[in-house]
Amino acid sequence: MHISRYFIWMLTLVLGFLFIFIAPLLAIVFFLLFAIGLYDYLQPHHSVLRNYPLIGHLRFFLEYIRPEIRQYFLENDEEEIPFSRNQRVMVYARAKEQNDKRGFGSIKAMYEQNNEWLGHSNNPQVTDPKTFRINIGGPDCNSPYSASIFNISAMSFGALSPNAIRALNKGAKLGGFAHDTGEGSISSYHREHGGDIIWEIGSGYFGCRNTDGSFSLEKFSEQISNPQIKMVEIKLSQGAKPGHGGVLPAAKVTHEIAQTRGVPIGEDCVSPAKHSAFTSPVELMQFIKVLRDASNGKPIGFKLCIGQPWEFFGIAKAMLHTNIYPDFIVVDGSEGGTGAAPVEFTDHVGLPLREGLRLVHNTLVGIGKRQQIRVGASGKIISGYDIIRAIAIGADWCNSARGFMFALGCIQSRNCHTDHCPTGVATQDLNRQRALVVPDKAERVMHFHNHTVESLAELVGAAGMSHPKEVTADHVMIRNSDGKVTPMSLTLPTVQENSLGEDELKSHHGMPEIFEHYWNKAAINRFGLN
């Protein structure tokens, strides 16, 4: 018998008897430790504890603090899991209005494959970040919205704490940018400070649903009349878990959440994987028209993470078929995500942002509607350069979720799904969320936005431009797999304007392979192939 693994356990018993007369309280402590070891030895659930009574708990403790040990002592400054230390430090510094500069040069490997940089001009310009706004609203929109080029991406009340929602919305109000509600609808916390709201409507139709979970036009009309709501975003899918629904267990459906979402208290709150208000691209366009009419012409669009490309082609064909067009499309990348999601979906489902964004941009160019429909981008965008790259690929503006979470104080503990968030951002625990002081964090949200846009302005000016809308893929350089430097424009697929028709390709000249393969097979009467 290998008794060495029991040595510490048995030592507690010996020490207990040794101190029983000398220090009775200490003896009781040792006897309690021996009792824990005895329980470990007899319990049937953990093999490690059965073989290593008492000291086996050290393994579980080290496993528990492993993420913190790795983050604080072991990880490389440029190692993105999912955000690098350098990225987080940059956000914290900007949010707190501290020095965000870096000394002694870059630590990036400039000659590695896929390294990118912005080409600067010998005629730099002075730019005004206050002008970095985008008008969103097509010909059928009566109330276009002038949006900041950088906004808060979709995060729901329920996933985030009340104090986090308050701070985000107050920061948006102070900084003059927009706050996306996420599919959890508009809570009282979104309304407290009056910041601009983008109302996201998901498959659960929270805030505008009938008792059976179907869409309620009457309740939608009641909500949308609020002038604080600037745009409506239909969520088809999200980057963290595209094609996956969700359930908020009955125990977590509090009075506030039930009131916000329009669901019964104490019952499971279900977000289905798909919508019931439409079942095809044509019906999606008709639904957009219904919402636009009911909102008196506010901008209506949709958000999606690109999955099967032929389904987005079907949506584009449906636009041409119905002559109904969204005012905007937000492209979410599979690298996005703020809350809980199944591992397989997080790692293996959905198109990353850059490929999805380019596909959407090219499709809209091909049907001749790119100038009419604005495109937003979300998915690990937290810096001025991230915005530059997204615009070069095809975006008009960018959203950030985790960047603003960092501004609130998030430390990337990755406990969003446990309700044990250490900084009060992603929790409904009253004791934990009190750590997030709204006035202080609202200021940080505003500062992070403002300094990020200012950094964007400096980049745009250095490249000889006065506004981000002038950025093209020619301005960004990439080192390819051969080590050669080439403009991003030569690496991106392109299509000719008006080369895509409702029934078939109008032109095959220079058409990317994916369009050649799927465009003619895309269906408008269902989500799928013809």
Side-chain angles (χ1 to χ4, degrees), residues 431-468:
N431 289 324
R432 290 178 178 272
Q433 63 183 257
R434 67 175 294 277
L436 198 159
V437 180
V438 174
D440 176 65
K441 296 303 188 288
E443 293 280 340
R444 294 189 185 186
V445 166
M446 175 190 68
H447 293 322
F448 168 59
H449 169 273
N450 290 351
H451 290 308
T452 301
V453 176
E454 286 168 6
S455 76
L456 172 64
E458 291 178 342
L459 290 172
V460 168
M465 297 172 283
S466 59
H467 194 279

Side-chain angles (χ1 to χ4, degrees), residues 157-467:
F157 165 56
L160 298 192
S161 68
N163 281 358
I165 296 296
R166 288 183 174 113
L168 289 172
N169 195 259
K170 185 175 182 179
K173 177 68 173 180
L174 294 172
F177 52 99
H179 179 194
D180 193 312
T181 65
E183 67 176 310
S185 193
I186 309 166
S187 69
S188 59
Y189 308 113
H190 288 93
R191 302 184 190 277
E192 275 188 32
H193 300 290
D196 289 353
I197 284 177
I198 300 171
W199 181 15
E200 182 178 272
I201 298 177
S203 56
Y205 306 112
F206 300 128
C208 56
R209 61 186 264 142
N210 296 309
T211 54
D212 62 356
S214 61
F215 173 72
S216 169
L217 181 59
E218 180 182 359
K219 293 180 180 178
F220 173 82
S221 300
E222 291 173 2
Q223 289 256 41
I224 196 61
S225 61
N226 189 320
Q228 191 180 350
I229 303 172
K230 303 301 182 181
M231 305 199 301
V232 176
E233 175 184 280
I234 304 165
K235 193 198 87 168
L236 302 183
S237 58
Q238 66 184 90
K241 48 182 178 178
H244 191 280
V247 178
L248 188 66
K252 293 186 177 182
V253 182
T254 64
H255 173 74
E256 290 174 314
I257 290 176
Q259 188 176 42
T260 297
R261 301 193 178 194
V263 299
I265 300 175
E267 294 184 16
D268 289 345
C269 179
V270 178
S271 298
K274 64 179 182 179
H275 281 263
S276 60
F278 53 88
T279 59
S280 70
V282 165
E283 290 180 1
L284 170 59
M285 294 304 109
Q286 293 167 343
F287 187 60
I288 286 173
K289 185 177 187 305
V290 168
L291 299 188
R292 185 179 286 133
D293 291 343
S295 68
N296 195 28
K298 289 185 178 181
I300 311 293
F302 60 86
K303 179 182 83 173
L304 82 168
C305 174
I306 297 294
Q308 298 169 354
W310 55 86
E311 292 195 342
F312 185 73
F313 295 163
I315 292 173
K317 283 186 174 183
M319 296 179 197
L320 297 174
H321 179 78
T322 61
N323 201 31
I324 301 170
Y325 299 92
D327 295 293
F328 65 92
I329 299 171
V330 174
V331 184
D332 201 5
S334 60
E335 63 268 52
T338 55
V343 173
E344 292 86 352
F345 279 78
T346 298
D347 292 343
H348 303 294
V349 181
L351 205 60
L353 173 63
R354 300 180 202 181
E355 287 79 9
L357 179 58
R358 192 61 181 183
L359 182 82
V360 169
H361 170 80
N362 278 341
T363 305
L364 297 180
V365 170
I367 65 172
K369 300 298 178 182
R370 181 61 187 88
Q371 298 305 314
Q372 175 179 325
I373 301 172
R374 296 299 190 186
V375 177
S378 62
K380 293 189 75 171
I381 296 175
I382 61 170
S383 73
Y385 179 75
D386 293 336
I387 299 173
I388 286 273
R389 179 174 53 212
I391 293 173
I393 294 171
D396 291 304
W397 88 90
C398 293
N399 298 330
S400 178
R402 287 170 291 185
F404 283 100
M405 288 178 70
F406 289 142
L408 288 173
C410 168
I411 59 173
Q412 194 170 276
S413 70
R414 304 177 73 184
N415 283 313
C416 309
H417 59 298
T418 66
D419 205 37
H420 294 156
C421 173
T423 57
V425 176
T427 180
Q428 298 305 306
D429 185 303
L430 293 175
N431 289 324
R432 290 178 178 272
Q433 63 183 257
R434 67 175 294 277
L436 198 159
V437 180
V438 174
D440 176 65
K441 296 303 188 288
E443 293 280 340
R444 294 189 185 186
V445 166
M446 175 190 68
H447 293 322
F448 168 59
H449 169 273
N450 290 351
H451 290 308
T452 301
V453 176
E454 286 168 6
S455 76
L456 172 64
E458 291 178 342
L459 290 172
V460 168
M465 297 172 283
S466 59
H467 194 279

Side-chain angles (χ1 to χ4, degrees), residues 17-60:
F17 281 115
L18 182 63
F19 285 100
I20 195 166
F21 297 112
I22 304 173
L25 290 178
L26 190 58
I28 291 173
V29 171
F30 284 123
F31 283 135
L32 285 174
L33 290 173
F34 176 79
I36 292 172
L38 181 61
Y39 175 80
D40 293 341
Y41 182 76
L42 297 175
Q43 57 81 35
H45 303 296
H46 299 287
S47 300
V48 170
L49 295 180
R50 282 173 67 87
N51 272 334
Y52 299 90
L54 198 60
I55 61 173
H57 288 280
L58 182 61
R59 181 257 184 193
F60 294 101

